[in-house]
C-alpha cells in the first residue's frame, strides 16, 4: 500500500504561491495606480524636463536647455529667482512660527482647564474651512481701508497700518499671518503627544523645584522633539506646495510686483498659461530634489536634536 | 481625555489658572474673529459694507443676490457628486490594498509598502504635467474623469493609515474564518471590513473634505463653468465680483457652514484621524 504523502516543503511552497497570488490581487489597484499615475508620469516628467514641450505638439529634445534657462534666470534675478525667494521667505517664517503657535496652543490646552473641548474645537475649526473660502475671507480681512485687521490696528493706535496684499513689502507677511490661523492640525497632533508624557516626569521635576517654564523647556520639549521634527518636515513640504491661498488672493497673478508669486504658482503659470511644459517639469524636478535632500538631511541629523524613546 | 500629561494637579495656583484662562480666551477671540466678521459682513446692507460698525439693520439681500449670481446649487451638486464618487473609490481601493499589505504574507509586500510610503513624499507638481498630457491623450480633459478615476487606485496616505490600523487588530477572527474555509476575499468583506469601520469612517471623512476643498485639480481640468466645483466657482466668482464683499461673504458663509456642521457631527472621528496621522 503506497500512500503519496504531500511533501511538507512542497505543501509550503504551494501556500506561498497562493499567498503571493492573493497578495498581488489585493494590492493590484495600488500596483496599477503606482505604474500609471506615479511611475510613468515621474519618468515622463524627467524626460519632458529635457524637452521643449507645449502639449499641443510632441516634445522636442533640447537637452539641458530648460535647466540652463533656470540657471540664467536665477543668476539674473528673474521671475524664477523671485518665486524661489518668495517661497523660501514664506517657508522660513510660516513653518517655525506655525509650530511655535501650535505648540503654545497645545501646552495651554494640556493644562487642567475647563472647557478643553470647546477651545480645541475653536482652534481646529479654521483648518477644516475650505481653503478657497478662507482665502476670500482673509482677502477681506486684509483690506487696507475696510478690513477688520486694519480697523483693529487703528483702534489700538496704529496710525498708518500696512497695506497688506496691496503692498509688496507686506504681502508675504500677510500670507504668513493667514497661515497661522490654520495651525489647528498641528495643535491636535502635539496635544496628543503631550498627553502621552508620563506624569511622573513632571512630579520628579516638581520635587526638584523646577518652575513650569523650566519643566516645559527641559522635560516636555525634548520628549516632544520627534513630533516637532515631524511637523517641521511636513511643514516644509507643505510650504513648498503652498498654492491655493496665493492664487485666490491675487487672482493667479502673484501681485503686487510678483511679491506673492510663490514657486508652485510660477510653475503652474509656466505649465498651463504659457504652455512651457518642459520648463515646468524642470522646475518640478528642482523642487523635488530640493525637498528630498532637505528631508534627508533633517532626518539624518535628527539624532542630534531629537530624543527618541525613553 | 487621559490625565497622564497634565502638568500639575492639586497645587494649580489661582494665579497660574488666571494666566492660562486669560491667554486661552484672548487667543479664542483672535481665532474666532474672522468668522464673526464673515457673518457680520454677509448680513450688512450694501451701503454699510464699508462702515466699520455692526450693521444697523440685518439684511439677507447679500444671500439672495449672491446666490443668484453664483449658481450655488449647481456647484453643490457637482461637488457632492465628486465627493461621493471619490469616497467610494478611495474607501474600497485603499482598504483592499491595506488588507493585502497587512494580512497576507507574501514576498515583495514590504517592498511595495515602502514604495507606497515613498510616493507620499513626491510633490504633486512632478507628475502634474505628464498626467495632464496623459488625460489629454485619453480625451478626458474637461470631464470629471481626471478628478475621479485616480481615486479607484488607492491613496498612499489612506493605505498607510488603514494598514497601521489593521496591524493592531488581532487575527483570531480571520484565522477562525480561514479554518471554516473562507477565502481571503470573504475574510476581507465579512470579517475585516466591519472591524475597520472606525478607520474607514476617518478615511471617508478626509476624502470627502479633501475633494470638497480641492482647488488645484478642478483648476487644471475643468474649463466649462457649468462643471465648476464650489471651490473653483468661488475663486472665479471672486475674480469677477471682487468688490462685492457682502455677496462674497454670503457665498463663503454658505460654503463654510456645511463643513462646520459636518465637523461638529463627526468631531470624534476627526480628532482620532489626525492623531493617527501624527503617530510615530
Amino acid at each position: 500500500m503506497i500512500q503519496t504523502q504531500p511533501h511538507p516543503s512542497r505543501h509550503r511552497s504551494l501556500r506561498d504561491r497562493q499567498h503571493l497570488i492573493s497578495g498581488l490581487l489585493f494590492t493590484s489597484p495600488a500596483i496599477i495606480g503606482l505604474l500609471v499615475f506615479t511611475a510613468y508620469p515621474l519618468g515622463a516628467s524627467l524626460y519632458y524636463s529635457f524637452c521643449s514641450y507645449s502639449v499641443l505638439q510632441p516634445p522636442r529634445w533640447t537637452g539641458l536647455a530648460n535647466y540652463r534657462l533656470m540657471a540664467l534666470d536665477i543668476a539674473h534675478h528673474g521671475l524664477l529667482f523671485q518665486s524661489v525667494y518668495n517661497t523660501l521667505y514664506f517657508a522660513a517664517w510660516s513653518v517655525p512660527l506655525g509650530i511655535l503657535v501650535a505648540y503654545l496652543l497645545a501646552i495651554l490646552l494640556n493644562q487642567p482647564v475647563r472647557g478643553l473641548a470647546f477651545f480645541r474645537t475653536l482652534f481646529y475649526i479654521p483648518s477644516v474651512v475650505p481653503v478657497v473660502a478662507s482665502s476670500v475671507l482673509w482677502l477681506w480681512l486684509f483690506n487696507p481701508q475696510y478690513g477688520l485687521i486694519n480697523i483693529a490696528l487703528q483702534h489700538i493706535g496704529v496710525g498708518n497700518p500696512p497695506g497688506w496684499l496691496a503692498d509688496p513689502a507686506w504681502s508675504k507677511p500677510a500670507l504668513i499671518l493667514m497661515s497661522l490661523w490654520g495651525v489647528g492640525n498641528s495643535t491636535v497632533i502635539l496635544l496628543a503627544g503631550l498627553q502621552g508624557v508620563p506624569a511622573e516626569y513632571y512630579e520628579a521635576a516638581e520635587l526638584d523645584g523646577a518652575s513650569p517654564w523650566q519643566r516645559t523647556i527641559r522635560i516636555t520639549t525634548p520628549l516632544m522633539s520627534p513630533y516637532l521634527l515631524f511637523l517641521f518636515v511636513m511643514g516644509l513640504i507643505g510650504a513648498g506646495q503652498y498654492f491655493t491661498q496665493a492664487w485666490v488672493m491675487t487672482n493667479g497673478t502673484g501681485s503686487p510686483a510678483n511679491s506673492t508669486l510663490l514657486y508652485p504658482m510660477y510653475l503652474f503659470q509656466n505649465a498651463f498659461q504659457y504652455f512651457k511644459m518642459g520648463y515646468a517639469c524642470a522646475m518640478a524636478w528642482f523642487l523635488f530634489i530640493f525637498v528630498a535632500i532637505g528631508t534627508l538631511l533633517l532626518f539624518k541629523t535628527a539624532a542630534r536634536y531629537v530624543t527618541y524613546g525613553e | 481625555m487621559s490625565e497622564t500629561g497634565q502638568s500639575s494637579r492639586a497645587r494649580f495656583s489661582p494665579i497660574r489658572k488666571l494666566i492660562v484662562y486669560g491667554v486661552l480666551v484672548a487667543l479664542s477671540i483672535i481665532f474666532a474673529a474672522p468668522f464673526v466678521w464673515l457673518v457680520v459682513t454677509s448680513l450688512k446692507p450694501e451701503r454699510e459694507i464699508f462702515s466699520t460698525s455692526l450693521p444697523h439693520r440685518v439684511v439677507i439681500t447679500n444671500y439672495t443676490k449672491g446666490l443668484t449670481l453664483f449658481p450655488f446649487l449647481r456647484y453643490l451638486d457637482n461637488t457632492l457628486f465628486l465627493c461621493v464618487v471619490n469616497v467610494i473609490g478611495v474607501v474600497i481601493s485603499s482598504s483592499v490594498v491595506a488588507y493585502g499589505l497587512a494580512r497576507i504574507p507574501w514576498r515583495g509586500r514590504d517592498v511595495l509598502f515602502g514604495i507606497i510610503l515613498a510616493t507620499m513624499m513626491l510633490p504633486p507638481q512632478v507628475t502634474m504635467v505628464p498626467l495632464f498630457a496623459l488625460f489629454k491623450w485619453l480625451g478626458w480633459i474637461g470631464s470629471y474623469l481626471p478628478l475621479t478615476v485616480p481615486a479607484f487606485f488607492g491613496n498612499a496616505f489612506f493605505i498607510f493609515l488603514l494598514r497601521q490600523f489593521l496591524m493592531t487588530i488581532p487575527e483570531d477572527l480571520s484565522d477562525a474564518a480561514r479554518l471554516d474555509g473562507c477565502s481571503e476575499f470573504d475574510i476581507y468583506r465579512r470579517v475585516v471590513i466591519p472591524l475597520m469601520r472606525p478607520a474607514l469612517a476617518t478615511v471617508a471623512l478626509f476624502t470627502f473634505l479633501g475633494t470638497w476643498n480641492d482647488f488645484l485639480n478642478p483648476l487644471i481640468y475643468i474649463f466649462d463653468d457649468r462643471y465648476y466645483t464650489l471651490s473653483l466657482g468661488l475663486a472665479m466668482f471672486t475674480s469677477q465680483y471682487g468688490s462685492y464683499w457682502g455677496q462674497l461673504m454670503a457665498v463663503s458663509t454658505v460654503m463654510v457652514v456645511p463643513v462646520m456642521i459636518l465637523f461638529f457631527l463627526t468631531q470624534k472621528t476627526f480628532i482620532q484621524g489626525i492623531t493617527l496621522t501624527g503617530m510615530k
Side-chain angles (χ1 to χ4, degrees):
Chain A
M1 179 174 104
I2 304 159
Q3 217 173 9
T4 45
Q5 280 279 2
H7 199 264
S9 80
R10 185 179 311 155
H11 193 78
R12 199 190 311 136
S13 83
L14 182 72
R15 212 180 45 204
D16 279 353
R17 192 169 323 143
Q18 275 171 348
H19 278 151
L20 181 65
I21 290 168
S22 49
L24 284 172
L25 273 178
F26 269 88
T27 53
S28 58
I31 295 173
I32 297 168
L34 279 173
L35 291 174
V36 178
F37 299 122
T38 307
Y40 160 72
L42 199 63
S45 92
L46 185 62
Y47 171 69
Y48 293 159
S49 79
F50 296 108
C51 294
S52 167
Y53 183 40
S54 68
V55 164
L56 306 168
Q57 268 126 31
R60 189 168 46 82
W61 182 267
T62 52
L64 284 169
N66 289 323
Y67 292 98
R68 205 174 294 129
L69 276 176
M70 285 176 70
L72 272 175
D73 184 296
I74 299 270
H76 292 94
H77 292 198
L79 277 182
L80 178 70
F81 175 84
Q82 180 76 38
S83 73
V84 170
Y85 171 79
N86 289 340
T87 287
L88 287 178
Y89 183 104
F90 174 77
W93 285 98
S94 75
V95 177
L97 277 179
I99 292 177
L100 200 69
V101 172
Y103 197 34
L104 174 73
L105 290 176
I107 287 173
L108 281 168
L109 290 176
N110 196 39
Q111 307 296 318
V113 287
R114 255 175 234 269
L116 167 84
F118 170 78
F119 289 118
R120 190 180 58 187
T121 304
L122 194 67
F123 296 144
Y124 185 67
I125 280 268
S127 34
V128 295
V129 171
V131 184
V132 173
S134 63
S135 306
V136 175
L137 169 58
W138 278 83
L139 192 58
W140 175 224
L141 294 172
F142 279 130
N143 188 292
Q145 279 116 46
Y146 310 109
L148 178 65
I149 292 171
N150 278 1
I151 293 173
L153 285 176
Q154 274 161 341
H155 256 286
I156 58 169
V158 180
N160 192 14
W164 300 113
L165 291 158
D167 180 349
W170 283 96
S171 54
K172 279 189 282 289
L175 289 182
I176 293 159
L177 203 64
M178 180 177 83
S179 76
L180 296 182
W181 195 53
V183 296
N185 251 320
S186 313
T187 306
V188 173
I189 291 174
L190 289 174
L191 183 58
L194 285 174
Q195 283 165 346
V197 175
E200 303 93 71
Y201 285 35
Y202 293 113
E203 277 153 17
E206 217 166 333
L207 286 179
D208 291 344
S211 71
W213 172 250
Q214 282 173 318
R215 288 202 297 267
T216 303
I217 296 298
R218 298 267 172 78
I219 298 168
T220 316
T221 305
L223 286 170
M224 291 297 291
S225 54
Y227 288 87
L228 296 171
L229 175 71
F230 170 76
L231 290 179
F232 192 69
V233 172
M234 297 314 285
L236 285 184
I237 294 176
Q241 291 160 23
Y242 203 79
F243 173 82
T244 304
Q245 291 87 338
W247 200 99
V248 173
M249 293 173 107
T250 69
N251 198 9
T253 61
S255 62
N258 299 315
S259 61
T260 60
L261 184 71
L262 298 174
Y263 193 79
M265 207 152 102
Y266 188 50
L267 197 160
F268 178 90
Q269 287 182 350
N270 270 301
F272 298 106
Q273 285 170 8
Y274 315 140
F275 293 102
K276 292 187 194 165
M277 299 265 182
Y279 192 70
C281 285
M283 280 184 73
W285 271 88
F286 181 68
L287 173 72
F288 178 30
I289 289 167
F290 189 82
V291 168
I293 290 176
T295 311
L296 207 69
L297 281 180
L298 275 171
F299 280 126
K300 281 271 184 231
T301 55
R304 274 187 229 153
Y305 41 80
V306 171
T307 328
Y308 286 107
E310 292 299 278
Chain B
M1 211 85 322
S2 95
E3 294 293 317
T4 41
Q6 314 233 320
S7 350
S8 192
R9 295 126 303 266
R11 289 178 289 107
F12 193 62
S13 74
I15 297 169
R16 196 169 145 205
K17 209 166 202 161
L18 199 71
I19 295 173
V20 168
Y21 273 116
V23 179
L24 272 177
V25 169
L27 287 168
S28 302
I29 292 171
I30 294 174
F31 270 73
F35 288 122
V36 176
W37 198 240
L38 168 75
V39 177
V40 166
T41 308
S42 76
L43 294 172
K44 277 183 175 180
E46 216 159 314
R47 285 179 294 120
E48 286 181 37
I49 294 286
F50 296 121
S51 84
T52 57
S53 59
L54 286 174
H56 292 104
R57 203 156 51 86
V58 170
V59 295
I60 56 158
T61 44
N62 288 321
Y63 287 86
T64 50
K65 273 192 199 163
L67 296 181
T68 340
L69 281 174
F70 183 83
F72 180 79
L73 284 179
R74 175 190 283 274
Y75 294 170
L76 177 70
D77 199 42
N78 294 342
T79 311
L80 282 177
F81 172 79
L82 289 175
C83 285
V84 169
V85 173
N86 279 346
V87 166
I88 294 171
V90 168
V91 165
I92 294 176
S93 61
S94 299
S95 65
V96 170
V97 174
Y99 184 91
L101 289 173
R103 288 304 175 96
I104 304 169
W106 54 284
R107 207 142 47 95
R109 111 183 145 162
D110 294 337
V111 176
L112 180 64
F113 183 57
I115 294 173
I116 289 174
L117 281 186
T119 62
M120 287 201 278
M121 299 285 297
L122 199 66
Q125 282 85 0
V126 179
T127 53
M128 195 165 77
V129 166
L131 281 177
F132 182 83
L134 175 70
F135 292 138
K136 188 175 181 330
W137 180 70
L138 290 166
W140 289 4
I141 306 294
S143 79
Y144 284 158
L145 291 169
L147 307 183
T148 47
V149 170
F152 288 84
F153 294 89
N155 170 298
F157 176 66
F158 296 131
I159 291 172
F160 166 71
L161 201 138
L162 290 174
R163 183 225 179 233
Q164 301 307 89
F165 187 82
L166 272 180
M167 301 296 260
T168 64
I169 302 179
E171 298 219 30
D172 314 7
L173 278 172
S174 308
D175 289 340
R178 216 162 269 144
L179 287 178
D180 286 347
C182 283
S183 73
E184 289 292 341
F185 190 71
D186 284 333
I187 298 170
Y188 158 76
R189 207 165 48 113
R190 303 242 180 89
V191 181
V192 171
I193 285 282
L195 291 172
M196 271 206 289
R197 208 164 279 158
L200 290 177
T202 303
V203 170
L205 186 64
F206 282 7
T207 305
F208 185 93
L209 273 180
T211 310
W212 182 278
N213 296 348
D214 187 18
F215 175 68
L216 180 59
N217 288 307
L219 181 68
I220 294 177
Y221 292 110
I222 305 299
F223 300 106
D224 188 334
D225 61 7
R226 282 174 305 169
Y227 298 124
Y228 280 1
T229 61
L230 282 171
S231 283
L232 184 60
L234 180 60
M236 294 308 177
F237 187 70
T238 306
S239 61
Q240 238 180 318
Y241 296 95
S243 50
Y244 292 90
W245 289 109
Q247 290 171 33
L248 278 177
M249 291 303 113
V251 173
S252 302
T253 307
V254 178
M255 197 172 152
V256 167
V257 167
V259 179
M260 282 202 184
I261 293 173
L262 183 71
F263 173 71
F264 282 113
L265 293 178
T266 56
Q267 210 170 357
K268 247 180 100 181
T269 311
F270 246 105
I271 302 293
Q272 182 192 339
I274 309 155
T275 318
L276 270 175
T277 65
M279 232 165 45
K280 292 258 84 182

